[in-house]
Amino acid sequence: MSNNKKPVDLTASPDGRWFQQSKFAMFVHWGPYAATGGVWNGKRYHGIGEWLMCRAQIPAADYAAMAATFNPRKFSADRWAALAAEAGMKYIVITAKHHDGFAMFKSGASAYNIADYTPFKRDPLAELAKACPKHGLKLGFYYSQFQDWHAIGGGGNGWDPAVKGDFAEYFNGKCVPQVEELMSNYGDVALIWFDTPGPISREDSLRLVHTVRRLQPQCLINSRIGNGVGDYDSLGDQEIPLEAHGGLWESIDTHNDTWGFVEHDHNWKSSRELVRRLVKVVAKGGNYMLNIGPNGLGEIPAASADILREVGVWTQRNAAAIYNAAPSPLPTMPWGECTASRDGKKLYLHVLDYPLDGRLTLAGLKGTIKRAAVLGRGAKTLKVSKNAGATNIALPQQPPAEPTVIVLDVAGKMSADKMQTVLPGLRNDFDPPFAKLTACKAGKNSWMEKFGDWKHADCIIDWQGPGSSASWTFKTPQAGRYYLELDYSAKLEADGIEGVVSVGKIEIPFPALDTGQRDAGVPDHGLWPLYRKYNCGIVHLPKAGKYTLTIRPTKETPSGWIMLKTVTLAPVPTVR
Ligand code: FHN
């Protein structure tokens, strides 16, 4: 830590190399809300648990009375850190203070904290600061800088007049001093994760940056500090991007459909799904930070912990393909994703959807493959052959792991043309970011399923009648038959407006169908879109070669027509 009196160089950014190498992290949402399990006065709230105080409009005094009984006596920093390390995570970020205003650390700035306000009396952050290094983990803190539903003047509490007041009073009296405490009392802090900046001023964001830099010059600050003054980018909640990004960034995800513990949410993503998501993020150049929500006793739910251990088996075996991996040099592949070693001598092919014919095809790859093998499964090599510009790797008949990673040792510089490849037996998605657009736009659509449970879709929107189109050029190494599937949302006004998909010489018309919309049930959010899959018909690609797939409306589209998420060429199942 630096001397307080030193002048602070706000232009000096911390070294982000450790962050870039880490790739996989544990996010922890934990506070008194965990003790309610998402139930208040006998009513079950579905959706994110840490928002219970707001959703049930609990007066600050009543919530504080509940918080005063918070006693997570089974909390073990060592067990949490051991689990994170076993899963293959490299750092932990824990809620030091969430929107409920309750500090999960001993704070001189506010007595409303776990050590002074509850029978528990311990400081979990101090215990984690000790445990994490023992397990090779770094530690970072989440801090809700604008929203504080307990402090007078804190942002976000529109239901309890008792906390109305001056924001500056809260900001100067609680927020800044608590950030100072976090930066002073816990040794090296790897990063600070601010959240929901709301209308916070640039001056206030910079004040926080200044505080962090003064006390911990190497502590990274995420983008949710607001006003564009963070060191790295946090994407939207539960957002896994389709496109590669440069710079330092992370996807943040939930294990079930909440951040804070909710006793009735059992919708755990499987270890296979978690690894798929981790791989997708790493292949695009980012970090994957997965949240767990410990319960009111301080235990990580057993179902969540068991799944994380399964993830650990995979990350350990496939470590070389994840940690410090470079993003994919290849375009989207229907069987999965690719990462590369930083020296460019190895490519890691993450086979997320195992080809039924046991052949992994890479079209348009230039360079020499010296050796192909299943990563972490001994020295046995796989046969590599070339055919009509495509590289084929003979896979073991049964997938040796899910997902299987194939490592290619390559000589010299590998390159790949960026054109998408369509392969039989696999789902070939055509995604909005890679389309050529004429008189329509690429947009993003986000909505909640349950409260706070965000979903995101890249979409093609704002179609301008028959002159507008989206197209993708692709190549295929062989003839094939595919279902042509659309995934889209359309409003009533678009119902019946015909579109046409052309692939080579084939033209398939289809009617846009109203998919309906859902009342968001949240003030100021209007209606959420609903998406549907629509099968337009079967497309035959008569031979190997290059094709263009184009979609367009045939009539004027006053309401913007469809929000198109994906066009897919999907396998046509056959009898045997
Ligand atoms: O409102 C919070 C929410 O409770 C949770 O902490 C997430 C995690 O990214 N951040 C906010 C919403 O984006």
Side-chain angles (χ1 to χ4, degrees), residues 53 60 96-103 110 112 143-160 163-165 167 170-171 173-175 178 195-196:
M53 183 176 169
K97 187 202 80 169
H98 204 267
H99 310 332
D100 64 357
F102 187 82
S110 162
Y112 194 47
Y143 193 88
S144 171
Q145 75 274 39
F146 167 69
Q147 298 204 66
D148 188 311
W149 302 332
H150 177 86
I152 307 273
N157 185 339
W159 62 92
D160 185 358
V163 300
K164 262 216 166 100
F167 181 73
Y170 150 75
F171 190 74
K174 180 171 178 183
C175 175
Q178 285 199 330
D195 200 10
T196 63

Side-chain angles (χ1 to χ4, degrees), residues 493-499 510-513 553-559 561:
E493 304 87 270
D495 193 68
I497 297 187
E498 193 183 61
F510 69 94
L513 300 176
T554 59
K555 293 198 199 123
E556 285 311 317
T557 51
S559 67
W561 202 41

Side-chain angles (χ1 to χ4, degrees), residues 29 48 50-51 98-99 142 193 195-196 224 237 252 259:
H29 274 65
I48 55 176
E50 69 284 2
W51 272 70
H98 204 267
H99 310 332
Y142 170 113
W193 213 93
D195 200 10
T196 63
R224 294 197 192 177
D237 292 354
I252 45 175
W259 305 92

Side-chain angles (χ1 to χ4, degrees), residues 309-558:
R309 284 189 198 100
E310 289 168 21
V311 168
V313 172
W314 189 93
T315 49
Q316 204 181 3
R317 185 176 296 135
N318 297 288
I322 294 291
Y323 304 110
N324 197 26
S328 174
L330 309 179
T332 310
M333 294 287 166
W335 41 257
E337 300 284 349
C338 175
T339 56
S341 61
R342 291 275 161 192
D343 62 8
K345 291 187 174 156
K346 288 184 195 295
L347 288 186
Y348 300 101
L349 311 177
H350 299 252
V351 189
L352 302 183
D353 295 303
Y354 209 79
L356 285 179
D357 62 3
R359 193 168 56 167
L360 195 69
T361 302
L362 289 145
L365 190 68
K366 294 182 198 96
T368 310
I369 298 172
K370 291 196 295 191
R371 177 176 173 272
V374 176
L375 186 62
R377 298 279 173 162
K380 194 166 181 286
T381 56
L382 303 173
K383 197 167 159 237
V384 182
S385 57
K386 286 231 173 203
N387 184 14
T391 306
N392 295 310
I393 299 161
L395 295 175
Q397 255 183 1
Q398 292 295 322
E402 297 281 9
T404 299
V405 180
I406 307 298
V407 53
L408 303 183
D409 291 337
V410 300
K413 201 166 160 42
M414 294 298 277
S415 64
D417 75 44
K418 294 286 172 205
M419 192 186 293
Q420 189 166 339
T421 306
V422 164
L423 296 173
L426 291 164
R427 290 181 65 79
N428 299 274
D429 289 337
F430 295 93
D431 293 315
F434 313 111
K436 184 171 161 237
L437 303 176
T438 308
C440 53
K441 282 192 202 139
K444 272 210 194 286
N445 199 223
S446 300
W447 67 97
M448 294 181 195
E449 296 268 352
K450 291 181 268 184
F451 179 89
D453 173 26
W454 285 97
K455 309 287 168 203
H456 309 268
D458 284 276
C459 286
I460 300 173
I461 53 171
D462 285 353
W463 304 79
Q464 307 290 317
S468 50
S469 65
S471 56
W472 295 261
T473 299
F474 65 89
K475 55 184 175 299
T476 184
Q478 65 192 91
R481 260 191 320 163
Y482 300 89
Y483 273 125
L484 177 70
E485 242 178 55
L486 305 180
D487 193 346
Y488 69 89
S489 173
K491 294 185 192 160
L492 181 61
E493 304 87 270
D495 193 68
I497 297 187
E498 193 183 61
V500 168
V501 182
S502 60
V503 188
K505 293 192 180 122
I506 310 155
E507 288 223 322
I508 302 188
F510 69 94
L513 300 176
D514 171 20
T515 54
Q517 286 169 292
R518 236 184 88 208
D519 187 339
V522 185
D524 307 325
H525 278 91
L527 296 170
W528 298 134
L530 290 173
Y531 285 84
R532 63 165 293 158
K533 290 208 164 92
Y534 181 84
N535 208 340
C536 296
I538 288 181
V539 171
H540 182 221
L541 304 179
K543 55 179 184 265
K546 191 167 136 187
Y547 295 83
T548 298
L549 183 153
T550 302
I551 177 166
R552 63 184 167 83
T554 59
K555 293 198 199 123
E556 285 311 317
T557 51

Side-chain angles (χ1 to χ4, degrees), residues 56-256:
Q57 307 267 288
I58 306 170
D62 294 3
Y63 188 88
M66 179 277 291
T69 65
F70 185 45
N71 191 5
R73 56 182 192 281
K74 297 205 172 154
F75 167 69
S76 157
D78 202 59
R79 268 205 296 275
W80 288 16
L83 178 65
E86 193 178 343
M89 294 156 159
K90 302 295 181 193
Y91 56 100
I92 295 181
V93 178
I94 180 166
T95 45
K97 187 202 80 169
H98 204 267
H99 310 332
D100 64 357
F102 187 82
M104 292 295 284
F105 59 101
K106 181 155 177 70
S107 169
S110 162
Y112 194 47
N113 74 72
I114 188 162
D116 295 320
Y117 205 77
T118 75
F120 187 56
K121 296 202 180 331
R122 287 156 53 188
D123 180 338
L125 303 199
E127 293 178 29
L128 276 166
K130 264 200 190 149
C132 282
K134 282 195 222 150
H135 294 273
L137 300 167
K138 291 185 185 293
L139 181 63
F141 299 134
Y142 170 113
Y143 193 88
S144 171
Q145 75 274 39
F146 167 69
Q147 298 204 66
D148 188 311
W149 302 332
H150 177 86
I152 307 273
N157 185 339
W159 62 92
D160 185 358
V163 300
K164 262 216 166 100
D166 180 15
F167 181 73
E169 192 184 309
Y170 150 75
F171 190 74
N172 297 325
K174 180 171 178 183
C175 175
V176 174
Q178 285 199 330
V179 170
E180 273 172 355
E181 290 173 342
L182 290 171
M183 293 295 118
S184 308
N185 300 340
Y186 300 95
D188 287 338
V189 179
L191 64 84
I192 182 149
W193 213 93
F194 291 106
D195 200 10
T196 63
I200 209 159
S201 68
R202 185 174 165 83
E203 198 192 340
D204 284 350
S205 292
L206 284 174
R207 175 108 183 269
L208 293 172
V209 172
H210 196 273
T211 306
V212 173
R213 292 278 191 269
R214 175 165 56 85
L215 298 164
Q216 299 252 355
Q218 284 306 319
C219 177
L220 288 171
I221 301 173
N222 75 329
S223 54
R224 294 197 192 177
I225 189 166
N227 297 296
V229 297
D231 299 313
Y232 75 93
D233 223 12
S234 305
L235 303 192
D237 292 354
Q238 296 146 303
E239 183 177 1
I240 309 285
L242 291 167
E243 268 181 297
H245 288 233
L248 299 183
W249 62 272
E250 69 189 353
S251 277
I252 45 175
D253 209 359
T254 49
H255 194 175
N256 45 355

